[in-house]
mmCIF file with all atom_site columns, all heavy atoms in Angstrom:
data_model
loop_
_atom_site.group_PDB
_atom_site.id
_atom_site.type_symbol
_atom_site.label_atom_id
_atom_site.label_alt_id
_atom_site.label_comp_id
_atom_site.label_asym_id
_atom_site.label_entity_id
_atom_site.label_seq_id
_atom_site.pdbx_PDB_ins_code
_atom_site.Cartn_x
_atom_site.Cartn_y
_atom_site.Cartn_z
_atom_site.occupancy
_atom_site.B_iso_or_equiv
_atom_site.pdbx_formal_charge
_atom_site.auth_seq_id
_atom_site.auth_comp_id
_atom_site.auth_asym_id
_atom_site.auth_atom_id
_atom_site.pdbx_PDB_model_num
ATOM 1   N N   . VAL Q 1 1  ? -2.291 8.304   -42.664 1.00 0.00 ? 1  VAL Q N   1
ATOM 2   C CA  . VAL Q 1 1  ? -2.651 7.040   -42.033 1.00 0.00 ? 1  VAL Q CA  1
ATOM 3   C C   . VAL Q 1 1  ? -1.653 5.972   -42.417 1.00 0.00 ? 1  VAL Q C   1
ATOM 4   O O   . VAL Q 1 1  ? -1.474 5.584   -43.504 1.00 0.00 ? 1  VAL Q O   1
ATOM 5   C CB  . VAL Q 1 1  ? -4.124 6.629   -42.581 1.00 0.00 ? 1  VAL Q CB  1
ATOM 6   C CG1 . VAL Q 1 1  ? -4.491 5.301   -41.856 1.00 0.00 ? 1  VAL Q CG1 1
ATOM 7   C CG2 . VAL Q 1 1  ? -5.165 7.718   -42.316 1.00 0.00 ? 1  VAL Q CG2 1
ATOM 8   N N   . ALA Q 1 2  ? -1.037 5.377   -41.313 1.00 0.00 ? 2  ALA Q N   1
ATOM 9   C CA  . ALA Q 1 2  ? -0.229 4.247   -41.404 1.00 0.00 ? 2  ALA Q CA  1
ATOM 10  C C   . ALA Q 1 2  ? -1.009 2.988   -41.206 1.00 0.00 ? 2  ALA Q C   1
ATOM 11  O O   . ALA Q 1 2  ? -1.743 2.852   -40.216 1.00 0.00 ? 2  ALA Q O   1
ATOM 12  C CB  . ALA Q 1 2  ? 0.961  4.371   -40.473 1.00 0.00 ? 2  ALA Q CB  1
ATOM 13  N N   . ILE Q 1 3  ? -0.918 2.075   -42.110 1.00 0.00 ? 3  ILE Q N   1
ATOM 14  C CA  . ILE Q 1 3  ? -1.783 0.892   -41.965 1.00 0.00 ? 3  ILE Q CA  1
ATOM 15  C C   . ILE Q 1 3  ? -1.035 -0.390  -41.770 1.00 0.00 ? 3  ILE Q C   1
ATOM 16  O O   . ILE Q 1 3  ? 0.017  -0.578  -42.444 1.00 0.00 ? 3  ILE Q O   1
ATOM 17  C CB  . ILE Q 1 3  ? -2.561 0.679   -43.371 1.00 0.00 ? 3  ILE Q CB  1
ATOM 18  C CG1 . ILE Q 1 3  ? -3.342 1.985   -43.844 1.00 0.00 ? 3  ILE Q CG1 1
ATOM 19  C CG2 . ILE Q 1 3  ? -3.599 -0.478  -43.200 1.00 0.00 ? 3  ILE Q CG2 1
ATOM 20  C CD1 . ILE Q 1 3  ? -4.043 1.902   -45.097 1.00 0.00 ? 3  ILE Q CD1 1
ATOM 21  N N   . GLY Q 1 4  ? -1.571 -1.280  -40.923 1.00 0.00 ? 4  GLY Q N   1
ATOM 22  C CA  . GLY Q 1 4  ? -0.823 -2.455  -40.649 1.00 0.00 ? 4  GLY Q CA  1
ATOM 23  C C   . GLY Q 1 4  ? -1.361 -3.208  -39.429 1.00 0.00 ? 4  GLY Q C   1
ATOM 24  O O   . GLY Q 1 4  ? -2.180 -2.624  -38.756 1.00 0.00 ? 4  GLY Q O   1
ATOM 25  N N   . ASN Q 1 5  ? -0.939 -4.400  -39.198 1.00 0.00 ? 5  ASN Q N   1
ATOM 26  C CA  . ASN Q 1 5  ? -1.339 -5.150  -37.950 1.00 0.00 ? 5  ASN Q CA  1
ATOM 27  C C   . ASN Q 1 5  ? -0.524 -4.601  -36.819 1.00 0.00 ? 5  ASN Q C   1
ATOM 28  O O   . ASN Q 1 5  ? -1.026 -4.699  -35.664 1.00 0.00 ? 5  ASN Q O   1
ATOM 29  C CB  . ASN Q 1 5  ? -1.140 -6.711  -38.139 1.00 0.00 ? 5  ASN Q CB  1
ATOM 30  C CG  . ASN Q 1 5  ? -2.184 -7.199  -39.177 1.00 0.00 ? 5  ASN Q CG  1
ATOM 31  O OD1 . ASN Q 1 5  ? -3.387 -6.918  -39.106 1.00 0.00 ? 5  ASN Q OD1 1
ATOM 32  N ND2 . ASN Q 1 5  ? -1.671 -7.994  -40.210 1.00 0.00 ? 5  ASN Q ND2 1
ATOM 33  N N   . PHE Q 1 6  ? 0.726  -4.196  -37.085 1.00 0.00 ? 6  PHE Q N   1
ATOM 34  C CA  . PHE Q 1 6  ? 1.573  -3.621  -36.089 1.00 0.00 ? 6  PHE Q CA  1
ATOM 35  C C   . PHE Q 1 6  ? 1.756  -4.582  -34.797 1.00 0.00 ? 6  PHE Q C   1
ATOM 36  O O   . PHE Q 1 6  ? 1.775  -4.105  -33.668 1.00 0.00 ? 6  PHE Q O   1
ATOM 37  C CB  . PHE Q 1 6  ? 1.107  -2.258  -35.598 1.00 0.00 ? 6  PHE Q CB  1
ATOM 38  C CG  . PHE Q 1 6  ? 1.195  -1.252  -36.627 1.00 0.00 ? 6  PHE Q CG  1
ATOM 39  C CD1 . PHE Q 1 6  ? -0.011 -0.821  -37.336 1.00 0.00 ? 6  PHE Q CD1 1
ATOM 40  C CD2 . PHE Q 1 6  ? 2.396  -0.837  -37.249 1.00 0.00 ? 6  PHE Q CD2 1
ATOM 41  C CE1 . PHE Q 1 6  ? 0.066  0.072   -38.390 1.00 0.00 ? 6  PHE Q CE1 1
ATOM 42  C CE2 . PHE Q 1 6  ? 2.432  0.081   -38.343 1.00 0.00 ? 6  PHE Q CE2 1
ATOM 43  C CZ  . PHE Q 1 6  ? 1.210  0.516   -38.868 1.00 0.00 ? 6  PHE Q CZ  1
ATOM 44  N N   . ASP Q 1 7  ? 1.870  -5.926  -35.055 1.00 0.00 ? 7  ASP Q N   1
ATOM 45  C CA  . ASP Q 1 7  ? 2.000  -6.774  -33.867 1.00 0.00 ? 7  ASP Q CA  1
ATOM 46  C C   . ASP Q 1 7  ? 3.419  -6.740  -33.459 1.00 0.00 ? 7  ASP Q C   1
ATOM 47  O O   . ASP Q 1 7  ? 4.429  -6.996  -34.057 1.00 0.00 ? 7  ASP Q O   1
ATOM 48  C CB  . ASP Q 1 7  ? 1.801  -8.283  -34.376 1.00 0.00 ? 7  ASP Q CB  1
ATOM 49  C CG  . ASP Q 1 7  ? 1.740  -9.318  -33.252 1.00 0.00 ? 7  ASP Q CG  1
ATOM 50  O OD1 . ASP Q 1 7  ? 1.513  -8.856  -32.113 1.00 0.00 ? 7  ASP Q OD1 1
ATOM 51  O OD2 . ASP Q 1 7  ? 1.963  -10.460 -33.448 1.00 0.00 ? 7  ASP Q OD2 1
ATOM 52  N N   . GLY Q 1 8  ? 3.584  -6.169  -32.188 1.00 0.00 ? 8  GLY Q N   1
ATOM 53  C CA  . GLY Q 1 8  ? 4.873  -5.989  -31.524 1.00 0.00 ? 8  GLY Q CA  1
ATOM 54  C C   . GLY Q 1 8  ? 5.367  -4.588  -31.653 1.00 0.00 ? 8  GLY Q C   1
ATOM 55  O O   . GLY Q 1 8  ? 6.123  -4.126  -30.891 1.00 0.00 ? 8  GLY Q O   1
ATOM 56  N N   . LEU Q 1 9  ? 4.837  -3.798  -32.658 1.00 0.00 ? 9  LEU Q N   1
ATOM 57  C CA  . LEU Q 1 9  ? 5.263  -2.433  -32.851 1.00 0.00 ? 9  LEU Q CA  1
ATOM 58  C C   . LEU Q 1 9  ? 6.791  -2.387  -32.760 1.00 0.00 ? 9  LEU Q C   1
ATOM 59  O O   . LEU Q 1 9  ? 7.453  -1.632  -31.976 1.00 0.00 ? 9  LEU Q O   1
ATOM 60  C CB  . LEU Q 1 9  ? 4.684  -1.429  -31.813 1.00 0.00 ? 9  LEU Q CB  1
ATOM 61  C CG  . LEU Q 1 9  ? 3.382  -0.694  -32.354 1.00 0.00 ? 9  LEU Q CG  1
ATOM 62  C CD1 . LEU Q 1 9  ? 2.936  0.186   -31.293 1.00 0.00 ? 9  LEU Q CD1 1
ATOM 63  C CD2 . LEU Q 1 9  ? 3.621  0.089   -33.591 1.00 0.00 ? 9  LEU Q CD2 1
ATOM 64  N N   . HIS Q 1 10 ? 7.509  -3.250  -33.639 1.00 0.00 ? 10 HIS Q N   1
ATOM 65  C CA  . HIS Q 1 10 ? 8.915  -3.405  -33.585 1.00 0.00 ? 10 HIS Q CA  1
ATOM 66  C C   . HIS Q 1 10 ? 9.611  -2.278  -34.276 1.00 0.00 ? 10 HIS Q C   1
ATOM 67  O O   . HIS Q 1 10 ? 8.952  -1.304  -34.831 1.00 0.00 ? 10 HIS Q O   1
ATOM 68  C CB  . HIS Q 1 10 ? 9.285  -4.785  -34.178 1.00 0.00 ? 10 HIS Q CB  1
ATOM 69  C CG  . HIS Q 1 10 ? 8.740  -5.055  -35.552 1.00 0.00 ? 10 HIS Q CG  1
ATOM 70  N ND1 . HIS Q 1 10 ? 9.087  -4.356  -36.688 1.00 0.00 ? 10 HIS Q ND1 1
ATOM 71  C CD2 . HIS Q 1 10 ? 7.917  -5.874  -35.987 1.00 0.00 ? 10 HIS Q CD2 1
ATOM 72  C CE1 . HIS Q 1 10 ? 8.509  -4.770  -37.678 1.00 0.00 ? 10 HIS Q CE1 1
ATOM 73  N NE2 . HIS Q 1 10 ? 7.728  -5.774  -37.309 1.00 0.00 ? 10 HIS Q NE2 1
ATOM 74  N N   . LEU Q 1 11 ? 10.991 -2.328  -34.496 1.00 0.00 ? 11 LEU Q N   1
ATOM 75  C CA  . LEU Q 1 11 ? 11.720 -1.267  -35.031 1.00 0.00 ? 11 LEU Q CA  1
ATOM 76  C C   . LEU Q 1 11 ? 11.360 -1.063  -36.507 1.00 0.00 ? 11 LEU Q C   1
ATOM 77  O O   . LEU Q 1 11 ? 11.493 0.091   -37.024 1.00 0.00 ? 11 LEU Q O   1
ATOM 78  C CB  . LEU Q 1 11 ? 13.237 -1.524  -34.854 1.00 0.00 ? 11 LEU Q CB  1
ATOM 79  C CG  . LEU Q 1 11 ? 13.691 -1.309  -33.319 1.00 0.00 ? 11 LEU Q CG  1
ATOM 80  C CD1 . LEU Q 1 11 ? 15.172 -1.632  -33.274 1.00 0.00 ? 11 LEU Q CD1 1
ATOM 81  C CD2 . LEU Q 1 11 ? 13.528 0.101   -32.768 1.00 0.00 ? 11 LEU Q CD2 1
ATOM 82  N N   . GLY Q 1 12 ? 10.965 -2.163  -37.175 1.00 0.00 ? 12 GLY Q N   1
ATOM 83  C CA  . GLY Q 1 12 ? 10.598 -1.960  -38.598 1.00 0.00 ? 12 GLY Q CA  1
ATOM 84  C C   . GLY Q 1 12 ? 9.293  -1.102  -38.649 1.00 0.00 ? 12 GLY Q C   1
ATOM 85  O O   . GLY Q 1 12 ? 9.111  -0.192  -39.458 1.00 0.00 ? 12 GLY Q O   1
ATOM 86  N N   . HIS Q 1 13 ? 8.361  -1.354  -37.740 1.00 0.00 ? 13 HIS Q N   1
ATOM 87  C CA  . HIS Q 1 13 ? 7.121  -0.640  -37.724 1.00 0.00 ? 13 HIS Q CA  1
ATOM 88  C C   . HIS Q 1 13 ? 7.456  0.835   -37.374 1.00 0.00 ? 13 HIS Q C   1
ATOM 89  O O   . HIS Q 1 13 ? 6.896  1.770   -37.904 1.00 0.00 ? 13 HIS Q O   1
ATOM 90  C CB  . HIS Q 1 13 ? 6.219  -1.171  -36.618 1.00 0.00 ? 13 HIS Q CB  1
ATOM 91  C CG  . HIS Q 1 13 ? 5.692  -2.563  -36.933 1.00 0.00 ? 13 HIS Q CG  1
ATOM 92  N ND1 . HIS Q 1 13 ? 5.397  -3.536  -36.017 1.00 0.00 ? 13 HIS Q ND1 1
ATOM 93  C CD2 . HIS Q 1 13 ? 5.268  -3.107  -38.119 1.00 0.00 ? 13 HIS Q CD2 1
ATOM 94  C CE1 . HIS Q 1 13 ? 4.923  -4.588  -36.531 1.00 0.00 ? 13 HIS Q CE1 1
ATOM 95  N NE2 . HIS Q 1 13 ? 4.848  -4.299  -37.903 1.00 0.00 ? 13 HIS Q NE2 1
ATOM 96  N N   . GLN Q 1 14 ? 8.320  0.974   -36.406 1.00 0.00 ? 14 GLN Q N   1
ATOM 97  C CA  . GLN Q 1 14 ? 8.645  2.374   -35.943 1.00 0.00 ? 14 GLN Q CA  1
ATOM 98  C C   . GLN Q 1 14 ? 9.318  3.224   -37.043 1.00 0.00 ? 14 GLN Q C   1
ATOM 99  O O   . GLN Q 1 14 ? 9.171  4.387   -37.136 1.00 0.00 ? 14 GLN Q O   1
ATOM 100 C CB  . GLN Q 1 14 ? 9.551  2.311   -34.733 1.00 0.00 ? 14 GLN Q CB  1
ATOM 101 C CG  . GLN Q 1 14 ? 8.697  1.796   -33.480 1.00 0.00 ? 14 GLN Q CG  1
ATOM 102 C CD  . GLN Q 1 14 ? 9.617  1.665   -32.271 1.00 0.00 ? 14 GLN Q CD  1
ATOM 103 O OE1 . GLN Q 1 14 ? 10.397 2.485   -31.971 1.00 0.00 ? 14 GLN Q OE1 1
ATOM 104 N NE2 . GLN Q 1 14 ? 9.483  0.519   -31.511 1.00 0.00 ? 14 GLN Q NE2 1
ATOM 105 N N   . THR Q 1 15 ? 10.151 2.525   -37.922 1.00 0.00 ? 15 THR Q N   1
ATOM 106 C CA  . THR Q 1 15 ? 10.749 3.213   -39.065 1.00 0.00 ? 15 THR Q CA  1
ATOM 107 C C   . THR Q 1 15 ? 9.615  3.719   -40.018 1.00 0.00 ? 15 THR Q C   1
ATOM 108 O O   . THR Q 1 15 ? 9.648  4.821   -40.538 1.00 0.00 ? 15 THR Q O   1
ATOM 109 C CB  . THR Q 1 15 ? 11.678 2.316   -39.844 1.00 0.00 ? 15 THR Q CB  1
ATOM 110 O OG1 . THR Q 1 15 ? 12.774 1.933   -38.941 1.00 0.00 ? 15 THR Q OG1 1
ATOM 111 C CG2 . THR Q 1 15 ? 12.229 2.945   -41.003 1.00 0.00 ? 15 THR Q CG2 1
ATOM 112 N N   . LEU Q 1 16 ? 8.678  2.797   -40.260 1.00 0.00 ? 16 LEU Q N   1
ATOM 113 C CA  . LEU Q 1 16 ? 7.561  3.213   -41.109 1.00 0.00 ? 16 LEU Q CA  1
ATOM 114 C C   . LEU Q 1 16 ? 6.786  4.345   -40.457 1.00 0.00 ? 16 LEU Q C   1
ATOM 115 O O   . LEU Q 1 16 ? 6.417  5.314   -41.212 1.00 0.00 ? 16 LEU Q O   1
ATOM 116 C CB  . LEU Q 1 16 ? 6.558  1.984   -41.243 1.00 0.00 ? 16 LEU Q CB  1
ATOM 117 C CG  . LEU Q 1 16 ? 5.389  2.085   -42.265 1.00 0.00 ? 16 LEU Q CG  1
ATOM 118 C CD1 . LEU Q 1 16 ? 5.001  0.792   -42.823 1.00 0.00 ? 16 LEU Q CD1 1
ATOM 119 C CD2 . LEU Q 1 16 ? 4.185  2.687   -41.375 1.00 0.00 ? 16 LEU Q CD2 1
ATOM 120 N N   . LEU Q 1 17 ? 6.532  4.333   -39.176 1.00 0.00 ? 17 LEU Q N   1
ATOM 121 C CA  . LEU Q 1 17 ? 5.843  5.346   -38.535 1.00 0.00 ? 17 LEU Q CA  1
ATOM 122 C C   . LEU Q 1 17 ? 6.640  6.671   -38.458 1.00 0.00 ? 17 LEU Q C   1
ATOM 123 O O   . LEU Q 1 17 ? 6.054  7.774   -38.500 1.00 0.00 ? 17 LEU Q O   1
ATOM 124 C CB  . LEU Q 1 17 ? 5.368  4.934   -37.046 1.00 0.00 ? 17 LEU Q CB  1
ATOM 125 C CG  . LEU Q 1 17 ? 4.349  3.834   -37.125 1.00 0.00 ? 17 LEU Q CG  1
ATOM 126 C CD1 . LEU Q 1 17 ? 4.166  3.258   -35.651 1.00 0.00 ? 17 LEU Q CD1 1
ATOM 127 C CD2 . LEU Q 1 17 ? 3.030  4.401   -37.572 1.00 0.00 ? 17 LEU Q CD2 1
ATOM 128 N N   . ASP Q 1 18 ? 7.960  6.591   -38.375 1.00 0.00 ? 18 ASP Q N   1
ATOM 129 C CA  . ASP Q 1 18 ? 8.737  7.794   -38.510 1.00 0.00 ? 18 ASP Q CA  1
ATOM 130 C C   . ASP Q 1 18 ? 8.699  8.518   -39.760 1.00 0.00 ? 18 ASP Q C   1
ATOM 131 O O   . ASP Q 1 18 ? 8.513  9.709   -39.893 1.00 0.00 ? 18 ASP Q O   1
ATOM 132 C CB  . ASP Q 1 18 ? 10.243 7.408   -38.332 1.00 0.00 ? 18 ASP Q CB  1
ATOM 133 C CG  . ASP Q 1 18 ? 10.593 7.099   -36.782 1.00 0.00 ? 18 ASP Q CG  1
ATOM 134 O OD1 . ASP Q 1 18 ? 9.815  7.414   -35.927 1.00 0.00 ? 18 ASP Q OD1 1
ATOM 135 O OD2 . ASP Q 1 18 ? 11.677 6.483   -36.604 1.00 0.00 ? 18 ASP Q OD2 1
ATOM 136 N N   . GLN Q 1 19 ? 8.588  7.760   -40.901 1.00 0.00 ? 19 GLN Q N   1
ATOM 137 C CA  . GLN Q 1 19 ? 8.332  8.435   -42.209 1.00 0.00 ? 19 GLN Q CA  1
ATOM 138 C C   . GLN Q 1 19 ? 6.943  9.001   -42.306 1.00 0.00 ? 19 GLN Q C   1
ATOM 139 O O   . GLN Q 1 19 ? 6.797  10.041  -42.851 1.00 0.00 ? 19 GLN Q O   1
ATOM 140 C CB  . GLN Q 1 19 ? 8.506  7.258   -43.346 1.00 0.00 ? 19 GLN Q CB  1
ATOM 141 C CG  . GLN Q 1 19 ? 9.964  6.785   -43.388 1.00 0.00 ? 19 GLN Q CG  1
ATOM 142 C CD  . GLN Q 1 19 ? 10.277 6.049   -44.687 1.00 0.00 ? 19 GLN Q CD  1
ATOM 143 O OE1 . GLN Q 1 19 ? 9.740  6.518   -45.765 1.00 0.00 ? 19 GLN Q OE1 1
ATOM 144 N NE2 . GLN Q 1 19 ? 11.122 5.126   -44.638 1.00 0.00 ? 19 GLN Q NE2 1
ATOM 145 N N   . ALA Q 1 20 ? 5.961  8.197   -41.733 1.00 0.00 ? 20 ALA Q N   1
ATOM 146 C CA  . ALA Q 1 20 ? 4.625  8.727   -41.733 1.00 0.00 ? 20 ALA Q CA  1
ATOM 147 C C   . ALA Q 1 20 ? 4.484  10.038  -40.951 1.00 0.00 ? 20 ALA Q C   1
ATOM 148 O O   . ALA Q 1 20 ? 3.846  10.951  -41.336 1.00 0.00 ? 20 ALA Q O   1
ATOM 149 C CB  . ALA Q 1 20 ? 3.641  7.747   -41.225 1.00 0.00 ? 20 ALA Q CB  1
ATOM 150 N N   . ARG Q 1 21 ? 5.272  10.049  -39.853 1.00 0.00 ? 21 ARG Q N   1
ATOM 151 C CA  . ARG Q 1 21 ? 5.293  11.274  -38.991 1.00 0.00 ? 21 ARG Q CA  1
ATOM 152 C C   . ARG Q 1 21 ? 5.779  12.513  -39.666 1.00 0.00 ? 21 ARG Q C   1
ATOM 153 O O   . ARG Q 1 21 ? 5.277  13.649  -39.664 1.00 0.00 ? 21 ARG Q O   1
ATOM 154 C CB  . ARG Q 1 21 ? 5.960  10.995  -37.657 1.00 0.00 ? 21 ARG Q CB  1
ATOM 155 C CG  . ARG Q 1 21 ? 5.994  12.174  -36.688 1.00 0.00 ? 21 ARG Q CG  1
ATOM 156 C CD  . ARG Q 1 21 ? 6.684  11.753  -35.311 1.00 0.00 ? 21 ARG Q CD  1
ATOM 157 N NE  . ARG Q 1 21 ? 5.917  10.728  -34.657 1.00 0.00 ? 21 ARG Q NE  1
ATOM 158 C CZ  . ARG Q 1 21 ? 6.389  9.390   -34.635 1.00 0.00 ? 21 ARG Q CZ  1
ATOM 159 N NH1 . ARG Q 1 21 ? 7.423  9.042   -35.220 1.00 0.00 ? 21 ARG Q NH1 1
ATOM 160 N NH2 . ARG Q 1 21 ? 5.651  8.503   -34.030 1.00 0.00 ? 21 ARG Q NH2 1
ATOM 161 N N   . LYS Q 1 22 ? 6.922  12.276  -40.359 1.00 0.00 ? 22 LYS Q N   1
ATOM 162 C CA  . LYS Q 1 22 ? 7.471  13.363  -41.179 1.00 0.00 ? 22 LYS Q CA  1
ATOM 163 C C   . LYS Q 1 22 ? 6.497  13.949  -42.226 1.00 0.00 ? 22 LYS Q C   1
ATOM 164 O O   . LYS Q 1 22 ? 6.396  15.151  -42.401 1.00 0.00 ? 22 LYS Q O   1
ATOM 165 C CB  . LYS Q 1 22 ? 8.851  12.877  -41.904 1.00 0.00 ? 22 LYS Q CB  1
ATOM 166 C CG  . LYS Q 1 22 ? 9.453  14.009  -42.620 1.00 0.00 ? 22 LYS Q CG  1
ATOM 167 C CD  . LYS Q 1 22 ? 10.833 13.535  -43.344 1.00 0.00 ? 22 LYS Q CD  1
ATOM 168 C CE  . LYS Q 1 22 ? 11.611 14.692  -44.009 1.00 0.00 ? 22 LYS Q CE  1
ATOM 169 N NZ  . LYS Q 1 22 ? 10.680 15.388  -44.909 1.00 0.00 ? 22 LYS Q NZ  1
ATOM 170 N N   . ILE Q 1 23 ? 5.812  12.970  -42.940 1.00 0.00 ? 23 ILE Q N   1
ATOM 171 C CA  . ILE Q 1 23 ? 4.910  13.453  -43.969 1.00 0.00 ? 23 ILE Q CA  1
ATOM 172 C C   . ILE Q 1 23 ? 3.754  14.257  -43.255 1.00 0.00 ? 23 ILE Q C   1
ATOM 173 O O   . ILE Q 1 23 ? 3.269  15.250  -43.779 1.00 0.00 ? 23 ILE Q O   1
ATOM 174 C CB  . ILE Q 1 23 ? 4.380  12.271  -44.709 1.00 0.00 ? 23 ILE Q CB  1
ATOM 175 C CG1 . ILE Q 1 23 ? 5.470  11.547  -45.494 1.00 0.00 ? 23 ILE Q CG1 1
ATOM 176 C CG2 . ILE Q 1 23 ? 3.209  12.602  -45.620 1.00 0.00 ? 23 ILE Q CG2 1
ATOM 177 C CD1 . ILE Q 1 23 ? 5.072  10.168  -46.075 1.00 0.00 ? 23 ILE Q CD1 1
ATOM 178 N N   . ALA Q 1 24 ? 3.228  13.756  -42.156 1.00 0.00 ? 24 ALA Q N   1
ATOM 179 C CA  . ALA Q 1 24 ? 2.209  14.400  -41.366 1.00 0.00 ? 24 ALA Q CA  1
ATOM 180 C C   . ALA Q 1 24 ? 2.626  15.883  -41.015 1.00 0.00 ? 24 ALA Q C   1
ATOM 181 O O   . ALA Q 1 24 ? 1.755  16.743  -41.069 1.00 0.00 ? 24 ALA Q O   1
ATOM 182 C CB  . ALA Q 1 24 ? 1.762  13.624  -40.219 1.00 0.00 ? 24 ALA Q CB  1
#
């Protein structure tokens, strides 16, 4: 579970989600 407001889903958010995806 990646947690946040994710307003804009910008490249910083996407980097976080890339790491979360690898863990998943």
Side-chain angles (χ1 to χ4, degrees):
V1 182
I3 308 175
N5 292 310
F6 297 109
D7 189 21
L9 266 179
H10 53 67
L11 289 176
H13 294 144
Q14 291 178 42
T15 297
L16 183 151
L17 290 169
D18 285 344
Q19 293 197 34
R21 184 176 295 105
K22 182 180 184 305
I23 295 168

